[in-house]
């Protein structure tokens, strides 16, 4: 039996990230003509752990939190992937994110499989001390699954270098000595890599620039819209600004700001450091306030969703007015929206290619941590650019060869590499 050849089923209106990930996988698996054994093997996560754990809150009460760690695949190496703290986390979301990590690492040709973790919590509602206790207990609970040789966590939505430092310290306390290679994305003074914090955002723009070069399109004074102003979005906006683009709109979870002449991104970033909000910035600088859904529909050259999943859906894809959608977030576009964008000739640079810069520099960090030998930031950035450009070219030539869109070709390339590793390793026992 081979992978199902029936048309891809229509998604229910309430699409989950996992439905998106599985639909994307099914489309690519069908093109690859996987055997049913291989198809089933790669479609399911290898292992999943759910943990429920108590945390003492500052007021003395004990609250029980739920967390997950999922290993999707380890055929190409130890599993790699971030940890997300968000109230919306559930097992299916973590499964989807873990699967995307497998393909992402394979496309960038990193010697890693895919994993993801998450805790159902709104980190903004916790004090720093509560967040530290939650992180230390969650780390302890998932210790059976993580190790520097087996599974290496990193930051994702709602976590940051400080959280990675607590994970590293907790794991090290259990071992009795420092184990810096247990996480990536840690602060530089405990073995983090120069350039890791900026890596995802920079990587997005390296890929976008390479796409423009490849198509012979002019890269001057392009208008850029960025959804999300966290670890990824703020650096994307900064890098686009430095590359000479006009960043005309940015947003965070509460909404966005818009100025068709371009926003002074360095000034905005400085302003936000002082505990101000985007709305405060709009007030002092006279730019317009817009909603997140209005932002996605602004006329622009490049739209960069850099927040959460399921942002461009069948409901709004026909109103996207960008020439290029470059996915900084994981899973921002549903399969139905993909079809609409392809039909309308919007170039989508898919997440598993476009936002791989984070995990690429995570790989560099892991290598440095294992060797206790550190690289200059300029070295890190040059190597990052080389990997991102190479990945884009590989995905693009596959797309040309097979006459498919970039998402499908990225999936085909990534899945094929995992299939090859699985075949050559053979089936145990
Ligand atoms: N959370 C990031 C991602 O989704 C980075 C993962 C990593 O560095 O391991 O790609």
């Amino acid at each position: 039996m081979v992978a199902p050849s029936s048309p891809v089923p229509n998604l229910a209106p309430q699409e989950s990230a996992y439905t998106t990930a599985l639909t994307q996988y099914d489309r690519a698996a069908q093109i690859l003509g996987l055997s049913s054994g291989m198809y089933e093997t790669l479609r399911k996560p290898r292992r999943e752990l759910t943990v429920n754990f108590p945390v003492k809150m500052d007021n003395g009460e004990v609250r029980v939190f739920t967390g997950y760690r999922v290993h999707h695949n380890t055929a190409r190496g130890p599993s790699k992937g971030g940890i997300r703290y968000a109230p919306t986390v559930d097992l299916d979301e973590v499964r989807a994110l873990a699967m995307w990590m497998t393909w992402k690492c394979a496309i960038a040709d990193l010697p890693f499989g895919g994993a993801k973790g998450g805790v159902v919590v709104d980190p903004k509602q916790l004090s720093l001390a509560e967040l530290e206790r939650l992180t230390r207990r969650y780390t302890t609970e998932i210790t059976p699954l993580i190790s520097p040789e087996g599974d290496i966590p990193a930051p994702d939505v709602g976590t940051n270098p400080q959280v990675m430092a607590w994970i590293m310290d907790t794991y090290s306390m259990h071992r009795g000595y420092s184990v810096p290679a247990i996480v990536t994305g840690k602060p530089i003074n405990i073995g983090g890599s120069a350039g890791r914090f900026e890596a995802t955002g920079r990587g997005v723009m390296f890929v976008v620039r390479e796409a423009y070069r490849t198509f012979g399109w002019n890269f001057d004074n392009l208008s850029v819209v960025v959804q999300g102003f966290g670890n990824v979005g703020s650096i994307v906006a900064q890098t686009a600004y430095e590359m000479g683009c006009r960043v005309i709109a940015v947003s965070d979870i509460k909404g966005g700001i818009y100025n068709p002449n371009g926003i002074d991104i360095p000034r905005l970033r400085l302003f936000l450091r002082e505990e101000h909000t985007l709305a405060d910035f709009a007030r002092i600088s006279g730019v317009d306030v817009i909603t997140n859904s209005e932002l996605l529909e602004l006329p622009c050259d490049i739209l960069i969703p850099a927040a959460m999943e399921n942002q461009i859906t069948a409901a709004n894809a026909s109103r996207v007015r960008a020439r290029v959608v470059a996915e900084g977030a994981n899973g921002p576009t549903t399969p139905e929206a993909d079809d609409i964008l392809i039909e309308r000739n919007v170039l989508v640079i898919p997440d598993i290619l476009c936002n791989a810069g984070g995990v690429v520099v995570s790989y560099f960090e892991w290598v440095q941590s294992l060797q206790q030998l550190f690289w200059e930031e300029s070295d890190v950035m040059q190597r990052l650019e080389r990997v991102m450009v190479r990945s884009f070219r590989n995905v693009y030539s596959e797309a040309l060869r097979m006459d498919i869109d970039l998402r499908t070709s990225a999936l085909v390339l990534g899945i094929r590499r995992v299939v090859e590793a699985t075949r050559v390793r053979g089936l145990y026992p």
Side-chain angles (χ1 to χ4, degrees):
M1 206 180 105
V2 294
S5 57
S6 57
V8 177
N10 271 345
L11 294 174
Q14 283 298 315
E15 296 125 11
S16 78
Y18 199 37
T19 314
T20 297
L22 291 176
T23 306
Q24 292 170 349
Y25 171 73
D26 287 351
R27 287 182 176 187
Q30 199 173 317
I31 291 175
L32 282 161
L34 301 185
S35 69
S36 96
M38 186 66 81
Y39 169 76
E40 290 295 337
T41 305
L42 303 189
R43 201 172 193 271
K44 292 206 161 69
R46 176 170 178 190
R47 42 172 95 92
E48 309 177 334
L49 178 64
T50 299
V51 294
N52 299 297
F53 55 97
V55 177
K56 179 149 318 143
M57 310 308 281
D58 291 345
N59 67 4
E61 272 172 30
V62 171
R63 258 180 73 189
V64 175
F65 291 87
T66 299
Y68 309 97
R69 185 76 187 167
V70 171
H71 294 177
H72 172 257
N73 188 280
T74 56
R76 289 174 47 90
S79 55
K80 187 83 190 80
I83 290 174
R84 174 171 293 195
Y85 286 176
T88 47
V89 163
D90 63 23
L91 184 54
D92 270 354
E93 183 188 46
V94 179
R95 286 172 172 150
L97 293 162
M99 180 185 257
W100 285 325
M101 287 309 301
T102 302
W103 316 142
K104 193 187 298 191
C105 291
I107 292 159
D109 213 3
L110 307 179
F112 286 140
K116 205 78 173 198
V119 176
V120 189
V121 59
D122 181 353
K124 292 206 187 75
Q125 304 294 319
L126 263 50
S127 72
L128 202 62
E130 289 168 341
L131 202 61
E132 177 172 354
R133 288 195 292 275
L134 175 139
T135 300
R136 289 186 182 279
R137 183 64 189 247
Y138 168 69
T139 305
T140 306
E141 296 294 335
I142 63 164
T143 291
L145 255 57
I146 60 171
S147 68
E149 306 83 20
D151 175 29
I152 307 109
D156 196 78
V157 174
T159 58
N160 58 22
Q162 175 62 74
V163 173
M164 298 306 115
W166 291 326
I167 295 176
M168 183 271 209
D169 186 69
T170 304
Y171 190 87
S172 299
M173 286 299 133
H174 294 170
R175 288 285 172 280
Y177 49 86
S178 289
V179 189
I182 183 63
V183 282
T184 58
K186 24 182 207 298
I188 292 182
N189 60 6
I190 55 165
S193 177
R196 173 62 185 83
F197 187 78
E198 296 79 14
T200 312
R202 292 262 172 92
V204 167
M205 289 310 298
F206 288 152
V207 171
V208 169
R209 189 166 62 184
E210 184 57 22
Y212 270 74
R213 252 187 230 142
T214 304
F215 296 116
W217 297 344
N218 188 356
F219 195 72
D220 292 338
N221 197 31
L222 296 172
S223 53
V224 176
V225 168
V226 185
Q227 184 195 39
F229 212 70
N231 293 359
V232 181
S234 66
I235 305 293
V236 165
Q238 176 73 29
T239 310
Y241 179 90
E242 286 166 9
M243 287 180 172
C245 300
R246 220 166 4 105
V247 181
I248 60 170
V250 299
S251 69
D252 62 17
I253 195 160
K254 295 197 204 93
I257 58 174
Y258 172 52
N259 179 355
N261 300 318
I263 297 165
D264 184 343
I265 298 296
R267 180 169 162 230
L268 172 63
R269 292 183 68 216
L270 270 178
F271 183 80
L272 293 178
R273 232 170 262 166
E274 314 278 310
E275 305 220 337
H276 296 305
T277 63
L278 286 177
D280 296 335
F281 187 79
R283 221 167 295 124
I284 62 141
S285 62
V287 300
D288 293 338
V289 172
I290 52 171
T291 65
N292 261 302
S293 38
E294 286 166 343
L295 174 133
L296 294 171
E297 297 172 16
L298 287 173
C300 62
D301 294 303
I302 309 167
L303 170 63
I304 307 181
M308 296 295 270
E309 301 97 69
N310 275 333
Q311 297 303 301
I312 306 178
T313 66
N316 62 1
S318 57
R319 294 195 299 274
V320 166
R321 283 186 284 168
R323 179 183 208 180
V324 173
V325 173
E327 296 183 333
N330 292 312
T333 311
T334 66
E336 282 175 319
D338 257 334
D339 293 341
I340 296 168
L341 295 176
I342 291 168
E343 178 72 34
R344 297 184 52 232
N345 256 325
V346 178
L347 180 77
V348 178
I349 309 181
D351 46 7
I352 50 178
L353 165 66
C354 196
N355 73 28
V359 73
V360 168
V361 177
S362 275
Y363 168 56
F364 299 159
E365 179 174 332
W366 181 69
V367 167
Q368 293 170 80
S369 288
L370 289 172
Q371 299 185 340
Q372 306 279 15
L373 184 70
F374 295 94
W375 311 348
E376 300 282 330
E377 181 168 350
S378 54
D379 275 353
V380 171
M381 281 304 148
Q382 273 168 22
R383 285 172 190 258
L384 170 64
E385 183 164 12
R386 273 209 298 277
V387 175
M388 299 308 289
V389 165
R390 182 189 68 201
S391 304
F392 178 82
R393 289 184 184 161
N394 289 339
V395 169
Y396 180 60
S397 46
E398 188 77 35
L400 279 184
R401 197 171 68 79
M402 302 190 70
D403 192 21
I404 50 181
D405 61 285
L406 288 184
R407 182 179 324 274
T408 310
S409 95
L411 286 159
V412 163
L413 183 75
I415 295 170
R416 190 194 293 124
R417 285 185 176 160
V418 178
V419 167
E420 282 162 3
T422 307
R423 281 217 184 99
V424 75
R425 284 179 65 154
L427 188 59
Y428 174 86

mmCIF file of all heavy atoms in Angstrom, residues 80-83 97 101 104 116 152-157 184 196 200 330 355-356 358-363, ligand 1:
data_model
loop_
_atom_site.group_PDB
_atom_site.id
_atom_site.type_symbol
_atom_site.label_atom_id
_atom_site.label_comp_id
_atom_site.label_asym_id
_atom_site.label_seq_id
_atom_site.Cartn_x
_atom_site.Cartn_y
_atom_site.Cartn_z
ATOM 1 N N LYS A 80 15.764 18.115 18.273
ATOM 2 C CA LYS A 80 16.021 19.520 18.580
ATOM 3 C C LYS A 80 14.730 20.295 18.432
ATOM 4 O O LYS A 80 13.977 20.073 17.476
ATOM 5 C CB LYS A 80 17.061 20.041 17.561
ATOM 6 C CG LYS A 80 17.566 21.431 17.848
ATOM 7 C CD LYS A 80 18.663 21.436 18.861
ATOM 8 C CE LYS A 80 19.015 22.838 19.336
ATOM 9 N NZ LYS A 80 18.069 23.345 20.361
ATOM 10 N N GLY A 81 14.501 21.219 19.350
ATOM 11 C CA GLY A 81 13.318 22.064 19.222
ATOM 12 C C GLY A 81 13.036 22.831 20.495
ATOM 13 O O GLY A 81 13.460 22.432 21.581
ATOM 14 N N GLY A 82 12.322 23.906 20.346
ATOM 15 C CA GLY A 82 12.119 24.848 21.438
ATOM 16 C C GLY A 82 11.091 24.396 22.460
ATOM 17 O O GLY A 82 10.483 23.332 22.367
ATOM 18 N N ILE A 83 10.938 25.248 23.470
ATOM 19 C CA ILE A 83 9.925 25.067 24.510
ATOM 20 C C ILE A 83 9.055 26.321 24.513
ATOM 21 O O ILE A 83 9.573 27.443 24.568
ATOM 22 C CB ILE A 83 10.582 24.856 25.890
ATOM 23 C CG1 ILE A 83 11.260 23.480 25.909
ATOM 24 C CG2 ILE A 83 9.544 24.987 27.002
ATOM 25 C CD1 ILE A 83 12.059 23.219 27.163
ATOM 26 N N LEU A 97 4.460 21.215 15.983
ATOM 27 C CA LEU A 97 5.712 21.973 16.022
ATOM 28 C C LEU A 97 6.919 21.031 15.989
ATOM 29 O O LEU A 97 7.947 21.342 15.385
ATOM 30 C CB LEU A 97 5.735 22.869 17.268
ATOM 31 C CG LEU A 97 4.696 24.011 17.238
ATOM 32 C CD1 LEU A 97 4.460 24.573 18.647
ATOM 33 C CD2 LEU A 97 5.126 25.129 16.296
ATOM 34 N N MET A 101 9.869 20.778 13.112
ATOM 35 C CA MET A 101 11.313 20.827 13.440
ATOM 36 C C MET A 101 12.075 19.738 12.686
ATOM 37 O O MET A 101 13.200 19.962 12.247
ATOM 38 C CB MET A 101 11.549 20.674 14.947
ATOM 39 C CG MET A 101 11.192 21.873 15.811
ATOM 40 S SD MET A 101 11.881 23.467 15.307
ATOM 41 C CE MET A 101 13.628 23.139 15.347
ATOM 42 N N LYS A 104 12.446 20.963 9.171
ATOM 43 C CA LYS A 104 13.279 22.171 9.161
ATOM 44 C C LYS A 104 14.764 21.819 9.296
ATOM 45 O O LYS A 104 15.606 22.315 8.550
ATOM 46 C CB LYS A 104 12.840 23.059 10.347
ATOM 47 C CG LYS A 104 13.358 24.468 10.324
ATOM 48 C CD LYS A 104 13.008 25.217 11.619
ATOM 49 C CE LYS A 104 11.517 25.358 11.832
ATOM 50 N NZ LYS A 104 11.201 26.303 12.944
ATOM 51 N N LYS A 116 9.682 19.180 20.267
ATOM 52 C CA LYS A 116 9.136 20.438 20.788
ATOM 53 C C LYS A 116 8.613 20.178 22.183
ATOM 54 O O LYS A 116 8.249 19.053 22.528
ATOM 55 C CB LYS A 116 7.993 20.934 19.902
ATOM 56 C CG LYS A 116 7.779 22.429 19.981
ATOM 57 C CD LYS A 116 8.823 23.159 19.156
ATOM 58 C CE LYS A 116 8.576 24.636 19.049
ATOM 59 N NZ LYS A 116 9.333 25.217 17.924
ATOM 60 N N ILE A 152 17.744 18.377 22.668
ATOM 61 C CA ILE A 152 18.283 19.658 23.146
ATOM 62 C C ILE A 152 17.228 20.755 22.972
ATOM 63 O O ILE A 152 16.954 21.190 21.851
ATOM 64 C CB ILE A 152 19.567 20.022 22.352
ATOM 65 C CG1 ILE A 152 20.568 18.862 22.395
ATOM 66 C CG2 ILE A 152 20.212 21.290 22.898
ATOM 67 C CD1 ILE A 152 20.742 18.132 21.088
ATOM 68 N N PRO A 153 16.623 21.228 24.079
ATOM 69 C CA PRO A 153 15.630 22.302 23.979
ATOM 70 C C PRO A 153 16.240 23.667 23.618
ATOM 71 O O PRO A 153 17.457 23.832 23.600
ATOM 72 C CB PRO A 153 15.011 22.354 25.376
ATOM 73 C CG PRO A 153 15.359 21.060 26.032
ATOM 74 C CD PRO A 153 16.681 20.668 25.432
ATOM 75 N N ALA A 154 15.364 24.616 23.364
ATOM 76 C CA ALA A 154 15.752 25.984 22.965
ATOM 77 C C ALA A 154 14.554 26.894 23.229
ATOM 78 O O ALA A 154 13.481 26.413 23.577
ATOM 79 C CB ALA A 154 16.105 25.992 21.479
ATOM 80 N N PRO A 155 14.717 28.203 23.048
ATOM 81 C CA PRO A 155 13.565 29.100 23.247
ATOM 82 C C PRO A 155 12.532 28.974 22.142
ATOM 83 O O PRO A 155 12.831 28.556 21.021
ATOM 84 C CB PRO A 155 14.189 30.504 23.201
ATOM 85 C CG PRO A 155 15.665 30.313 23.324
ATOM 86 C CD PRO A 155 15.960 28.955 22.770
ATOM 87 N N ASP A 156 11.311 29.343 22.474
ATOM 88 C CA ASP A 156 10.228 29.483 21.501
ATOM 89 C C ASP A 156 9.316 30.581 22.062
ATOM 90 O O ASP A 156 9.724 31.319 22.970
ATOM 91 C CB ASP A 156 9.492 28.143 21.301
ATOM 92 C CG ASP A 156 8.638 28.144 20.038
ATOM 93 O OD1 ASP A 156 9.199 27.991 18.941
ATOM 94 O OD2 ASP A 156 7.405 28.313 20.132
ATOM 95 N N VAL A 157 8.091 30.673 21.568
ATOM 96 C CA VAL A 157 7.161 31.696 22.047
ATOM 97 C C VAL A 157 7.043 31.612 23.578
ATOM 98 O O VAL A 157 6.824 30.533 24.129
ATOM 99 C CB VAL A 157 5.768 31.478 21.403
ATOM 100 C CG1 VAL A 157 4.737 32.426 21.992
ATOM 101 C CG2 VAL A 157 5.857 31.621 19.891
ATOM 102 N N THR A 184 20.125 25.280 23.954
ATOM 103 C CA THR A 184 20.685 26.384 23.167
ATOM 104 C C THR A 184 19.793 27.609 23.363
ATOM 105 O O THR A 184 18.689 27.495 23.886
ATOM 106 C CB THR A 184 20.771 26.011 21.682
ATOM 107 O OG1 THR A 184 19.451 25.676 21.218
ATOM 108 C CG2 THR A 184 21.695 24.824 21.470
ATOM 109 N N ARG A 196 22.918 34.191 18.452
ATOM 110 C CA ARG A 196 21.777 33.280 18.532
ATOM 111 C C ARG A 196 20.464 34.040 18.675
ATOM 112 O O ARG A 196 19.462 33.689 18.076
ATOM 113 C CB ARG A 196 21.932 32.275 19.693
ATOM 114 C CG ARG A 196 20.682 31.403 19.950
ATOM 115 C CD ARG A 196 20.341 30.534 18.756
ATOM 116 N NE ARG A 196 19.107 29.760 18.896
ATOM 117 C CZ ARG A 196 17.882 30.205 18.653
ATOM 118 N NH1 ARG A 196 17.688 31.466 18.278
ATOM 119 N NH2 ARG A 196 16.834 29.416 18.768
ATOM 120 N N THR A 200 17.052 33.986 14.147
ATOM 121 C CA THR A 200 15.841 33.664 13.381
ATOM 122 C C THR A 200 15.450 34.846 12.495
ATOM 123 O O THR A 200 15.207 34.683 11.286
ATOM 124 C CB THR A 200 14.672 33.286 14.316
ATOM 125 O OG1 THR A 200 15.148 32.335 15.271
ATOM 126 C CG2 THR A 200 13.512 32.693 13.557
ATOM 127 N N ASN A 330 5.982 29.731 12.927
ATOM 128 C CA ASN A 330 5.715 28.358 12.505
ATOM 129 C C ASN A 330 4.228 28.212 12.219
ATOM 130 O O ASN A 330 3.398 28.581 13.050
ATOM 131 C CB ASN A 330 6.123 27.376 13.610
ATOM 132 C CG ASN A 330 7.623 27.334 13.817
ATOM 133 O OD1 ASN A 330 8.393 27.226 12.866
ATOM 134 N ND2 ASN A 330 8.053 27.442 15.079
ATOM 135 N N ASN A 355 12.300 30.337 8.530
ATOM 136 C CA ASN A 355 12.637 30.685 9.921
ATOM 137 C C ASN A 355 13.662 29.731 10.538
ATOM 138 O O ASN A 355 13.819 29.681 11.759
ATOM 139 C CB ASN A 355 11.370 30.815 10.788
ATOM 140 C CG ASN A 355 10.711 29.472 11.102
ATOM 141 O OD1 ASN A 355 11.360 28.425 11.152
ATOM 142 N ND2 ASN A 355 9.416 29.505 11.344
ATOM 143 N N ALA A 356 14.393 29.002 9.689
ATOM 144 C CA ALA A 356 15.350 28.012 10.205
ATOM 145 C C ALA A 356 16.600 28.633 10.833
ATOM 146 O O ALA A 356 17.393 27.923 11.458
ATOM 147 C CB ALA A 356 15.759 27.058 9.087
ATOM 148 N N GLY A 358 17.100 30.262 13.450
ATOM 149 C CA GLY A 358 17.207 30.022 14.893
ATOM 150 C C GLY A 358 17.841 28.681 15.177
ATOM 151 O O GLY A 358 18.818 28.583 15.935
ATOM 152 N N VAL A 359 17.336 27.656 14.540
ATOM 153 C CA VAL A 359 17.868 26.323 14.843
ATOM 154 C C VAL A 359 19.248 26.132 14.198
ATOM 155 O O VAL A 359 20.073 25.383 14.712
ATOM 156 C CB VAL A 359 16.864 25.207 14.501
ATOM 157 C CG1 VAL A 359 16.714 24.982 13.010
ATOM 158 C CG2 VAL A 359 17.279 23.913 15.187
ATOM 159 N N VAL A 360 19.512 26.856 13.123
ATOM 160 C CA VAL A 360 20.862 26.767 12.524
ATOM 161 C C VAL A 360 21.897 27.290 13.527
ATOM 162 O O VAL A 360 22.910 26.631 13.789
ATOM 163 C CB VAL A 360 20.920 27.551 11.187
ATOM 164 C CG1 VAL A 360 22.368 27.708 10.720
ATOM 165 C CG2 VAL A 360 20.089 26.854 10.116
ATOM 166 N N VAL A 361 21.608 28.450 14.119
ATOM 167 C CA VAL A 361 22.587 28.966 15.093
ATOM 168 C C VAL A 361 22.513 28.171 16.405
ATOM 169 O O VAL A 361 23.503 28.066 17.127
ATOM 170 C CB VAL A 361 22.453 30.496 15.275
ATOM 171 C CG1 VAL A 361 23.412 31.002 16.340
ATOM 172 C CG2 VAL A 361 22.745 31.198 13.954
ATOM 173 N N SER A 362 21.370 27.552 16.691
ATOM 174 C CA SER A 362 21.323 26.610 17.817
ATOM 175 C C SER A 362 22.312 25.470 17.592
ATOM 176 O O SER A 362 22.980 25.023 18.521
ATOM 177 C CB SER A 362 19.926 26.015 17.976
ATOM 178 O OG SER A 362 19.110 26.861 18.742
ATOM 179 N N TYR A 363 22.364 24.997 16.369
ATOM 180 C CA TYR A 363 23.342 23.945 16.041
ATOM 181 C C TYR A 363 24.763 24.458 16.288
ATOM 182 O O TYR A 363 25.584 23.785 16.921
ATOM 183 C CB TYR A 363 23.144 23.496 14.581
ATOM 184 C CG TYR A 363 24.257 22.632 14.049
ATOM 185 C CD1 TYR A 363 24.627 21.452 14.692
ATOM 186 C CD2 TYR A 363 24.956 23.008 12.894
ATOM 187 C CE1 TYR A 363 25.668 20.665 14.199
ATOM 188 C CE2 TYR A 363 25.989 22.224 12.399
ATOM 189 C CZ TYR A 363 26.346 21.062 13.057
ATOM 190 O OH TYR A 363 27.373 20.290 12.577
HETATM 191 N N1 LIG B 1 11.925 27.491 18.471
HETATM 192 C C1 LIG B 1 12.731 27.701 17.304
HETATM 193 C C2 LIG B 1 12.069 27.114 16.084
HETATM 194 O O1 LIG B 1 10.884 26.939 16.045
HETATM 195 C C3 LIG B 1 14.176 27.277 17.505
HETATM 196 C C4 LIG B 1 14.400 25.821 17.845
HETATM 197 C C5 LIG B 1 15.844 25.508 18.219
HETATM 198 O O2 LIG B 1 16.694 26.368 18.129
HETATM 199 O O3 LIG B 1 16.073 24.363 18.614
HETATM 200 O O4 LIG B 1 12.697 26.865 15.082
#
